[in-house]
Amino acid sequence: MTKEMDNILQRTEILIEALQYVKRFNNKIIVVKYGGSAMIDEKMEKSVIQDVALLKSVGFKPIIVHGGGKEISNWVEKIGKKIEFVEGLRVTDKETMEIAEMVLNKVNKGLVQKLEEFGVNAVGISGKDGSLLKAERKCLNGLDLGYVGEITQVNPQLLYGLLEKGFLPVVAPIGTDDEFESYNINGDDAACAVAKALNAEKLTFLTDIEGVLKDPADKSTLISELMVEEAKKLIEDGIVNGGMLPKINSCIDAIENGVSRVHIIDGTIAHCLLLEIFTNKGIGTAILASSESRFDV
Amino acid sequence: MTKEMDNILQRTEILIEALQYVKRFNNKIIVVKYGGSAMIDEKMEKSVIQDVALLKSVGFKPIIVHGGGKEISNWVEKIGKKIEFVEGLRVTDKETMEIAEMVLNKVNKGLVQKLEEFGVNAVGISGKDGSLLKAERKCLNGLDLGYVGEITQVNPQLLYGLLEKGFLPVVAPIGTDDEFESYNINGDDAACAVAKALNAEKLTFLTDIEGVLKDPADKSTLISELMVEEAKKLIEDGIVNGGMLPKINSCIDAIENGVSRVHIIDGTIAHCLLLEIFTNKGIGTAILASSESRFDV
Amino acid sequence: MTKEMDNILQRTEILIEALQYVKRFNNKIIVVKYGGSAMIDEKMEKSVIQDVALLKSVGFKPIIVHGGGKEISNWVEKIGKKIEFVEGLRVTDKETMEIAEMVLNKVNKGLVQKLEEFGVNAVGISGKDGSLLKAERKCLNGLDLGYVGEITQVNPQLLYGLLEKGFLPVVAPIGTDDEFESYNINGDDAACAVAKALNAEKLTFLTDIEGVLKDPADKSTLISELMVEEAKKLIEDGIVNGGMLPKINSCIDAIENGVSRVHIIDGTIAHCLLLEIFTNKGIGTAILASSESRFDV
Amino acid sequence: MTKEMDNILQRTEILIEALQYVKRFNNKIIVVKYGGSAMIDEKMEKSVIQDVALLKSVGFKPIIVHGGGKEISNWVEKIGKKIEFVEGLRVTDKETMEIAEMVLNKVNKGLVQKLEEFGVNAVGISGKDGSLLKAERKCLNGLDLGYVGEITQVNPQLLYGLLEKGFLPVVAPIGTDDEFESYNINGDDAACAVAKALNAEKLTFLTDIEGVLKDPADKSTLISELMVEEAKKLIEDGIVNGGMLPKINSCIDAIENGVSRVHIIDGTIAHCLLLEIFTNKGIGTAILASSESRFDV
Amino acid sequence: MTKEMDNILQRTEILIEALQYVKRFNNKIIVVKYGGSAMIDEKMEKSVIQDVALLKSVGFKPIIVHGGGKEISNWVEKIGKKIEFVEGLRVTDKETMEIAEMVLNKVNKGLVQKLEEFGVNAVGISGKDGSLLKAERKCLNGLDLGYVGEITQVNPQLLYGLLEKGFLPVVAPIGTDDEFESYNINGDDAACAVAKALNAEKLTFLTDIEGVLKDPADKSTLISELMVEEAKKLIEDGIVNGGMLPKINSCIDAIENGVSRVHIIDGTIAHCLLLEIFTNKGIGTAILASSESRFDV
Amino acid sequence: MTKEMDNILQRTEILIEALQYVKRFNNKIIVVKYGGSAMIDEKMEKSVIQDVALLKSVGFKPIIVHGGGKEISNWVEKIGKKIEFVEGLRVTDKETMEIAEMVLNKVNKGLVQKLEEFGVNAVGISGKDGSLLKAERKCLNGLDLGYVGEITQVNPQLLYGLLEKGFLPVVAPIGTDDEFESYNINGDDAACAVAKALNAEKLTFLTDIEGVLKDPADKSTLISELMVEEAKKLIEDGIVNGGMLPKINSCIDAIENGVSRVHIIDGTIAHCLLLEIFTNKGIGTAILASSESRFDV
């Protein structure tokens, strides 16, 4: 067989594979949690934006939920405030909250701007718009962290309205409580809550790691596919721990509340979203409800 | 006639008057430019918010376009930058633009939050969302003011979509040019452009003055009603000048491009919007196309 | 505080109050039983017609059910017949029925004509049209009253059709039995049956009295608000009696069958309908299901 | 060929003929002017009602416009007034007009009642309802006939609304002028105006004569089909005259203004409507625009 | 009474009778099984086609299911194959099946062509299209008949789609099993299955016999109307037997599964369909669920 | 760069390329002319069927128009008839036409069957159904070829109806003239006529050759892209001739009548349709209106 023919065969195979996913996810809602390194490196950002634009153009309904991480700290320092963390959660006084919100909205509109550059009609909203995210003050072992919120309710009408009208929603994780006080909300939690409220087909976390590793020290031990039950076992056995723990718990929560499949993928790989969605092999770790093989979808 | 009956008579009269306007403006779009003192005083702000909420609840379709005025300066100073104005326009370098946008978005989401408190489903957007406001760098007598933009195009689909779905849009006056660079846009201009693009029934400027005065020194010389032709004459005669000049020009522009009626009213009078819209006498100055009397509506 | 400002304040208050009712009753069906003195005095009639026209113009869906009272007697006498009443009910032989129907239709089309003068698209129908009111011969202690009917069924399709198409229905209280014989029906009963069949928001009786009085001799003892339970107690205690008795029973019947609120108001007060509907204080007596305060609506 | 088979053949032929008309007139509007003897004889009335009910049930959209002829005179006499005619038009003072309207409404609701007996959802309206018929005082050679009106405008919305909702409209020929004064309108004129305003497929006059006769003294000279041009010639030649003249003029007017076909048929023949509409041969005289044969329809 | 009048009376009666059926069957689905002699004689064929076209034009929704009987044998012989039958069922080897399918499709498109000549938009399909008829190999007392199928499932979407778009479906009785092997299906069975799947109003078999006879030797013993219970009794008593047996069983099956009425009529009588459907007396035998008289419909 | 990463990069590139075409052709009509060798080899047939199924599943609207070529000859011989060709066109007497139609319908339903196997809802029709293809007898230099037709009109309603309802139409090239006589139509002509009538996005001919070659003897001279003007020049210069000539003329005709792009591709390459549609490089020759590069789509 000639090289040329071999090439054509491979191309055909990739096409057939990809087109089956186009068909499968038509009109399906895919929530992408965008954060971490993929957000800082400009080239990576562009690759993510392009992927999301492409997903939308072939008939999917993507929603981006983003964080603000490092930029918040930068701005807090800019105005001369000290940054304080308790168990990984930023202690957020009124002024910090004000800055956090400004930074998140800045990031939010920045993403909108870049999506528009790729020809996508995007709309940047926060959890305040249309009362999307209702929250309450988070309790952490009795410690007062200030304006750090926990989601109590999602009102998805605005998201449905924007999707129906053909806009791509970009969501900043800010919520209000019943007294309409503002709260900073963890981005992973917000993405998970939105995916659950909309019964999203997929929830994808773009992270700085390859996925779930059996041996965190050995990248070759990546788990491609994880049933909810197995994931719980990994937590029990202490294999999943540290920063990974709350993320895996979010995944389990999502799957148990109507989301079909959750992905943890390495946001620093160019076009990671396309590779995950349109190829059988995928990249990263997929968490799903039961032993239905991911390769059979 | 007893006091009680007199009271009833007056009440009836006000009711009949008001209900005729309810009927007249049903489903009509009313763009409210909100800025100046009415925005700083908390009590006044609450009165405006309540009025807008009421307008929406009786079947109107209000849209708020806001400015950010004094807060922008506050924040620029907070991070230690000097403020510079040329002919009333803020010189806006990249960093100032960044701050301006953050402040405008902050104001924007703050208004949304307060409208939600009054039970209104509001959505805060800027001119970036859905490419609402396209702009280009403003030229002022050859002077480079930096990121100060002039509107070149309005894409109203997002506004129509939100209105159709029952949301109240709150618009921050930021635009992008064809390279997706951000620009600060004058709030009055943005309100005027939006009103024209939507063929709004009304465009209402909440200002710090009573309206147009024949003799600026004498409040009793308020002009209740001004035909476009008369307004042009007042400009020619130099009676309208200073800060009032661009506003009146905006009014004339709006009327000549599809808006039925423009109002300049004193935003510091409690419930100024209701008084203007639901009473024959109104408050402030109405600019309209022709001699059709405002009292006959 | 100046008189002018005081005036503005009061005006604002009335406006806010009224607009809340506009919002509350948007698209709601309001059945108005129109009869008695309010029908005879031309000026009062005009005030009622204007109020109904205004209700329709601000988004309510009014339906008028009328009586024919004194005009029927006039015409019976005109052709030389003797009038006979048994326990307040007109003995109605075939010829009287024929006259009654002609008079009711005359009144009916007269109201239509006047509503059209106020720009309302009205349509005059009787219970025969679209088989709206099906009836049977009324039994009164074994006495034969002739063609006096009791409603057995309401077919509301015609009313729904007219409302949907934007017409205001005016209903003459005539019904037919299964043999398609015509019957004269009590106007209050017809209004009550129509309100129940349509689950009307309000049923309003325009009468010659101020409302329910604790002491019928003392107008200052007007009861503003009456729970169904209290109304039953007043009947039991004999405080409600005479001509008021059947009306109150109609009210109770309506409330217990899907109508939210019934009003008995003095039809001779100019613009009584507006005052009742758009002010917190109202006029006359409101009968409602439970202790939910009428002032909280 | 046996008698039985002959019978079947004939039956088949009638069926095929009739079904072609069912197809042809599906959803078409047919205005029936109902008056004269067919209205007085109870058996004839029943036959007409049944025909109209059947037309509606197979998909046509019939509208009845009726007169009141002899009953008006009866009632005028009943209350002791003298009847006066000028050139065939009743002199109508205010009181006579009042009686005329009452009688017409009585006839109107009577027809509704009988249609309901045949299971048809009918609605009786006059030209006042929905401002259907606007009129002005008729001038006849300078003579004042009082409240005799001439139609100036038809507002067909109510008729369209009722037809759309599946009701059969029955129209009493009463109109109002711009001051909302009532006028008695000639039934033929009203039917013609309604047919023109709705672009009816057919306008059918039920009369006391067989149709247009070449020799009025000889019934065998019935003209089955008359082109508009021929009809004009018959008028010119004086063959059509007397009471027939205005009717033929109405026919010509209708054809020249959008009605496809006008029929003058003998209302005293049982089921004349069915015979006219569903058989090739028809009965009476058909007036049509051009030489397209009626047998080809 | 003159002959002419007698004629008119009879005509009127037939019309009234027929129109009642037009009303009754509007938009109703009528499945016609077309086969036997009525298919071979060209004149009879034309009469059936015309009837079906007429049924469609007056608002019914006819569907034709046809057989191919004698033509299949002709073609099998043409290519020199021997024809073999077992218990009335054609033994169908692969080649015979191929020919049967070709002939059935030929008949199918031939009917389409003739319907188009009558102005009907017809579409010829087989049970393969849209997977309309799913089948399995028929077992007959252990004998292998080859590609003779029994229907296991009907997918009616294509039929609904064609009816909705105004096309008349013509169905050839071919089905496929789960391996997509083709099968010849009995035309009566196919018609019955389609009628059941669509809850047809009527299923009509055009046959070579008059209907069900009490005494097969005496045509005057035709049973006009047969309740399902009576039909079962006739089978039990052996009165229905031979070729009639499976047909009557199909009728019973249809009635017991949602079809309102089944007719067995003589397809060789001109316009038999019209006579059956539009006359009270009908022709042939009607099978129905209960004693509701066919004359009362 | 590792082999693995290289692999991922290539995969990503193919994906991005393919997804852009998915987006571009969403809901677009693609007419595929299926014939020649690709139809005879079972494996090739399967590959074509699979491709068409995939096109449909990702949102395209494919329509197959097929020929019957060699099978017609086989069957004509089977029944002992001699085959005759004049200038490449089969001389078609009545009997041959009958056979041709049977064979084409057989091929037609065979394709339906195979598409159903791939889960596609297909419907096989011929030009007779819904009067899709109207034709007349073809004149060839005065020679009588018999029942060989030329298309005179396309009635696309049935195709639109089937596409709207989600079915994939498979069309056999048979037409009828105004006397409803049947004609055999050239498959390429039928495909071209259908594509023009539906303003198809693409018309694709699956042939036995690689495309248009500059030097027919040298496959390396394949022309990837051909403007209409260039194609005309090639004809003029005699480079395109023989069997290719009518095909290229069809292509030019299609482009000049509303089809955006026509492809001539080698139907014997596995998955030729996918490769042509979803890759920039494509295979075969694309004919298009102007110099807009095919690589820029």
Side-chain angles (χ1 to χ4, degrees), chain E residues 62-65 121-125 158-159 162-163 167-171:
Chain E
I63 293 173
I64 295 176
V65 179
N121 273 322
V123 176
I125 57 175
L158 176 55
L159 292 177
L162 291 172
L163 290 175
F167 293 100
L168 186 153
V170 181
V171 182

Side-chain angles (χ1 to χ4, degrees), chain F residues 137-191:
Chain F
R137 191 176 278 247
K138 196 167 193 156
C139 287
L140 190 77
N141 310 326
L143 274 172
D144 186 12
L145 299 164
Y147 294 91
V148 173
E150 201 152 15
I151 292 172
T152 54
Q153 197 187 340
V154 178
N155 295 310
Q157 291 78 3
L158 176 56
L159 292 177
Y160 280 126
L162 291 171
L163 290 175
E164 187 195 319
K165 293 295 172 187
F167 294 100
L168 186 152
V170 180
V171 181
I174 298 159
T176 50
D177 65 12
D178 289 348
E179 273 71 46
F180 292 91
E181 199 65 67
S182 304
Y183 290 91
N184 195 3
I185 291 176
N186 176 270
D188 287 358
D189 290 354

Side-chain angles (χ1 to χ4, degrees), chain D residues 7-294:
Chain D
N7 201 342
I8 283 184
L9 269 183
Q10 193 205 348
R11 191 173 278 264
T12 306
E13 198 185 285
I14 295 172
L15 276 175
I16 292 177
E17 206 176 291
L19 293 177
Q20 273 157 353
Y21 290 101
V22 169
K23 168 188 173 186
R24 182 176 168 83
F25 296 124
N26 188 31
N27 264 320
K28 294 286 164 56
I29 293 173
I30 297 189
V31 176
V32 177
K33 166 61 207 317
Y34 178 49
S37 307
M39 212 162 168
I40 292 157
D41 182 284
E42 208 167 306
K43 210 174 126 193
M44 287 176 197
E45 187 187 53
K46 198 178 152 182
S47 146
V48 169
I49 295 287
Q50 193 186 356
D51 283 10
V52 171
L54 215 41
L55 289 182
K56 184 161 185 300
S57 76
V58 298
F60 298 24
K61 297 190 159 170
I63 295 172
I64 294 177
V65 180
H66 62 83
K70 296 187 185 156
E71 269 219 68
I72 298 180
S73 300
N74 294 348
W75 280 86
V76 171
E77 280 168 355
K78 222 172 191 167
I79 62 158
K81 276 189 75 86
K82 202 167 62 87
I83 298 157
E84 201 182 335
F85 278 88
V86 169
E87 301 199 12
L89 291 165
R90 184 192 307 276
V91 178
T92 307
D93 62 12
K94 193 90 182 186
E95 199 183 14
T96 305
M97 179 62 220
E98 216 169 40
I99 293 165
E101 187 172 355
M102 287 172 83
V103 173
L104 283 165
N105 284 335
K106 181 174 173 296
V107 168
N108 185 268
K109 297 301 179 190
L111 285 171
V112 167
Q113 198 162 334
K114 274 154 210 153
L115 284 158
E116 301 270 347
E117 286 188 51
F118 274 89
V120 176
N121 271 322
V123 176
I125 57 175
S126 86
K128 287 181 173 176
D129 296 293
S131 288
L132 176 63
L133 301 177
K134 297 305 292 183
E136 63 185 17
R137 190 175 280 245
K138 195 167 193 158
C139 286
L140 189 77
N141 310 326
L143 272 171
D144 185 12
L145 299 166
Y147 294 91
V148 173
E150 202 153 13
I151 293 172
T152 54
Q153 197 188 340
V154 178
N155 296 309
Q157 291 79 4
L158 176 55
L159 292 177
Y160 280 126
L162 291 171
L163 290 176
E164 187 194 320
K165 292 295 172 188
F167 294 100
L168 186 152
V170 181
V171 182
I174 298 159
T176 51
D177 66 12
D178 289 348
E179 274 70 46
F180 292 89
E181 199 65 67
S182 304
Y183 290 91
N184 194 3
I185 291 177
N186 176 271
D188 287 358
D189 290 354
C192 185
V194 163
K196 290 190 308 185
L198 296 168
N199 282 311
E201 180 67 21
K202 273 184 193 297
L203 166 60
T204 304
F205 293 104
L206 299 189
T207 67
D208 294 358
I209 54 168
E210 293 79 5
V212 183
L213 304 176
K214 258 184 205 148
D215 173 359
D218 179 0
K219 292 190 176 188
S220 74
T221 64
L222 177 72
I223 305 172
S224 267
E225 196 176 277
L226 201 58
M227 303 307 120
V228 157
E229 291 316 309
E230 293 168 5
K232 286 180 177 172
K233 187 75 171 35
L234 288 179
I235 293 171
E236 240 175 79
D237 296 351
I239 291 166
V240 166
N241 55 27
M244 201 43 146
L245 187 54
K247 212 172 281 281
I248 297 294
N249 276 326
S250 276
C251 294
I252 294 172
D253 178 24
I255 294 292
E256 291 182 339
N257 288 284
V259 178
S260 303
R261 202 169 278 240
V262 186
H263 299 273
I264 297 174
I265 58 181
D266 184 349
T268 64
I269 296 173
H271 300 294
C272 53
L273 273 170
L274 297 189
L275 291 168
E276 175 60 27
I277 292 176
F278 293 110
T279 64
N280 289 341
K281 218 179 119 183
I283 57 172
T285 299
I287 292 99
L288 52 161
S290 65
S291 60
E292 163 220 355
S293 167
R294 76 184 297 202

Side-chain angles (χ1 to χ4, degrees), chain A residues 122-285:
Chain A
V123 176
I125 57 175
S126 86
K128 288 181 173 177
D129 297 293
S131 288
L132 177 63
L133 301 177
K134 297 305 293 180
E136 64 186 17
R137 191 175 278 246
K138 196 165 192 158
C139 287
L140 189 76
N141 311 326
L143 272 171
D144 185 12
L145 299 164
Y147 295 91
V148 174
E150 202 153 13
I151 293 172
T152 54
Q153 194 187 344
V154 179
N155 295 310
Q157 291 77 5
L158 178 55
L159 292 177
Y160 280 126
L162 292 171
L163 290 176
E164 186 195 320
K165 293 293 171 188
F167 295 101
L168 186 152
V170 181
V171 182
I174 299 159
T176 51
D177 66 11
D178 289 349
E179 274 70 48
F180 293 90
E181 200 65 68
S182 304
Y183 289 90
N184 195 3
I185 291 176
N186 176 270
D188 287 358
D189 290 354
C192 185
V194 163
K196 290 191 307 186
L198 296 169
N199 282 312
E201 180 68 20
K202 272 182 190 298
L203 166 60
T204 305
F205 292 104
L206 299 189
T207 67
D208 294 357
I209 55 167
E210 294 78 6
V212 183
L213 304 175
K214 262 186 202 143
D215 174 357
D218 179 0
K219 294 192 175 187
S220 74
T221 64
L222 176 72
I223 305 173
S224 267
E225 197 177 274
L226 202 57
M227 303 306 121
V228 158
E229 291 316 310
E230 294 168 6
K232 287 178 176 172
K233 187 76 171 36
L234 289 179
I235 293 172
E236 242 177 76
D237 296 351
I239 293 167
V240 166
N241 55 25
M244 202 41 148
L245 188 52
K247 214 173 280 284
I248 297 294
N249 276 325
S250 276
C251 295
I252 293 171
D253 178 22
I255 293 292
E256 291 183 339
N257 287 284
V259 178
S260 303
R261 198 169 282 240
V262 186
H263 299 273
I264 297 174
I265 59 181
D266 185 348
T268 66
I269 296 174
H271 300 293
C272 54
L273 272 169
L274 298 189
L275 291 167
E276 174 58 30
I277 292 176
F278 293 110
T279 64
N280 289 340
K281 220 181 117 181
I283 57 175
T285 298

Side-chain angles (χ1 to χ4, degrees), chain F residues 107-119:
Chain F
V107 168
N108 185 268
K109 297 301 179 189
L111 286 170
V112 166
Q113 198 163 335
K114 275 154 209 151
L115 285 158
E116 300 269 348
E117 286 188 52
F118 274 89

